[in-house]
Amino acid sequence: MKQIYLYILLFVSGFYNSQTSDTISRSNLQTSVSMQFGKFLGTNDYLKTLTHREFIGASAELTVQTDGSKEWHRRFGRPYYGGGIVAFDYLKNRDMGSPFAVYGTFGGTIKETPIHSWNYETSGGFAFNWTPFNQEKGYLNQTFGSSVSIYINFGVNYKYYLGKHFDLGLGLNFNHFSNGALKLPNKGMNTFSPKLSLTYHFDEREFAPKDSLSAFDKYSTLDVNVFGGVRHSIFYGVDPGFQESDVDMIRKFEGKYHQNWGIETVYHRQVTYKSSLGLGIGLMYDENYNNKFYQDENGVIQSTKRFEHEQVLLNIFPSYRLSISKFAIQLQPGFYIFKKAIDRRYDKTIFYQRVGFQYTIGKKFLIGIGLRSFKFHKADYIEWRLGYRIFNKKNS
């Protein structure tokens, strides 16, 4: 978990330092508190057995409201950005732990009038203090294998303006929790909840200018990135000649930790103010791909190398990038070229999916995080990314 804490510190400090060119006045600050009461879904066998799935959440945020003076403000609904903390109580299922999440948030207006607005909101961060799966202690909830998970939130809300300083909001939120295969089992959790919020503007509310959108120049970029990560791997199923009862479940879930690292380059061409399309190619080493679990003659779980020589994977991927000032969201479905399929229990498909978040420090340096998955719902591993922008060229 140390790499998570280190990366949070690196990401936050980089974000803070990069804002020197976008000085924020006190009048643009706002704070909000909110409550949510909802249910988590029965997405795995353990959660399906629970009769009561209700939870309560309480959060507090400090955000910056953009004033509409920049082009990206107007294109994203005069958005706000900042951070917050949220704590959850799972009521009749408190054995799950007392989780809380620290997160960054970004949201904006879909439609606004002088008395109310419809809005969107997104958040992402890390949740702590889950009670993890532990067979030795008899806690068999496979939702989380570790006490730390990723926290992702999407929501929409309606806000009614109470005077010049306060907003009263009512919305609907979707939350997702998963540890990205840092520690198995990792079934994850999804929740839906109504949300009631109260927002206070430190100064009187200001409305965005009604100016029309400006013309803009389109650019092409070429980035090179290095990335690394760790995933937890375990023995699956049972080998020929043995029965399920022969599998040592404690040893099975001890598993092994495998490294993933690589280098890639990706070219993007801007097609609209917000969107860019591109293509990338990369080389990566996946230690898990070179590993094989098996049961020896006594049924004890062992591991060995699958290949005499280490295998490096070549991958190619189309890319979509949504840019929000210096922040970017990337969707990259990709393909492993020449990957061998030997054992269906362990070999992931040649087609993978990746969602990533990237921030530009200054003009050239990039930091980011990505989640690589397969079959659209199974997490492979979390990537911690550093990059450099080779060029940012205006399209002719």
Side-chain angles (χ1 to χ4, degrees), residues 15-58:
F15 178 83
Y16 175 80
N17 291 333
S18 65
Q19 295 303 307
T20 55
S21 61
D22 243 347
T23 303
I24 301 303
S25 67
R26 179 178 178 275
S27 62
N28 288 337
L29 289 175
Q30 59 187 23
T31 185
S32 63
V33 292
S34 63
M35 291 288 298
Q36 50 184 304
F37 179 80
K39 286 190 173 183
F40 55 86
L41 305 182
T43 50
N44 63 60
D45 292 338
Y46 181 90
L47 297 183
K48 289 176 182 177
T49 66
L50 302 178
T51 304
H52 302 283
R53 300 178 192 164
E54 294 79 14
F55 74 93
I56 292 176

Side-chain angles (χ1 to χ4, degrees), residues 131-324:
T131 300
F133 172 87
N134 191 316
Q135 209 160 25
E136 293 177 313
K137 295 182 178 180
Y139 186 64
L140 304 181
N141 180 1
Q142 295 194 18
T143 304
F144 300 106
S146 64
S147 61
V148 179
S149 75
I150 289 175
Y151 163 73
I152 297 174
N153 165 267
F154 299 99
V156 292
N157 63 68
Y158 169 82
K159 287 185 177 180
Y160 183 78
Y161 299 158
L162 302 174
K164 297 180 179 180
H165 290 275
F166 287 95
D167 305 338
L168 182 64
L170 180 63
L172 181 65
N173 279 62
F174 167 78
N175 297 325
H176 174 71
F177 302 92
S178 168
N179 70 25
L182 283 173
K183 182 72 170 66
L184 297 179
N186 176 45
K187 302 292 186 179
M189 177 184 287
N190 297 318
T191 74
F192 283 97
S193 62
K195 182 178 178 180
L196 182 66
S197 65
L198 182 66
T199 301
Y200 173 74
H201 301 263
F202 282 64
D203 207 344
E204 292 185 6
R205 181 188 299 104
E206 295 182 359
F207 294 93
K210 298 298 182 180
D211 299 340
S212 60
L213 298 177
S214 305
F216 64 95
D217 295 321
K218 294 182 179 180
Y219 286 84
S220 295
T221 60
L222 181 65
D223 301 340
V224 60
N225 298 280
V226 294
F227 61 87
V230 175
R231 90 176 309 273
H232 184 226
S233 305
I234 62 173
F235 174 79
Y236 290 110
V238 59
D239 282 352
F242 297 97
Q243 300 178 357
E244 292 286 347
S245 57
D246 296 323
V247 179
D248 184 338
M249 300 301 289
I250 293 178
R251 186 176 179 89
K252 168 183 174 176
F253 282 105
E254 286 179 355
K256 291 190 70 175
Y257 289 92
H258 293 129
Q259 299 178 19
N260 304 271
W261 46 266
I263 184 171
E264 64 189 26
T265 184
V266 57
Y267 170 83
H268 282 104
R269 185 178 179 89
Q270 191 177 359
V271 293
T272 70
Y273 180 85
K274 300 176 182 178
S275 299
S276 301
L277 297 177
L279 186 67
I281 188 169
L283 285 173
M284 66 168 293
Y285 169 68
D286 184 348
E287 189 178 20
N288 176 237
Y289 176 54
N290 288 344
N291 180 79
K292 175 184 177 180
F293 288 103
Y294 69 96
Q295 289 175 276
D296 64 19
E297 64 276 7
N298 298 315
V300 178
I301 298 171
Q302 307 285 359
S303 67
T304 186
K305 293 283 187 180
R306 301 173 66 186
F307 309 112
E308 181 179 353
H309 302 290
E310 301 291 354
Q311 301 289 312
V312 177
L313 296 174
L314 173 67
N315 58 292
I316 187 170
F317 54 92
S319 179
Y320 168 76
R321 181 177 68 195
L322 174 67
S323 299
I324 310 169

Side-chain angles (χ1 to χ4, degrees), residues 327-346:
F327 182 77
I329 301 172
Q330 296 175 334
L331 302 178
Q332 296 170 333
F335 300 87
Y336 297 110
I337 310 299
F338 311 124
K339 185 176 183 180
K340 303 173 184 177
I342 300 174
D343 189 335
R344 290 187 177 181
R345 283 187 294 171
Y346 301 105

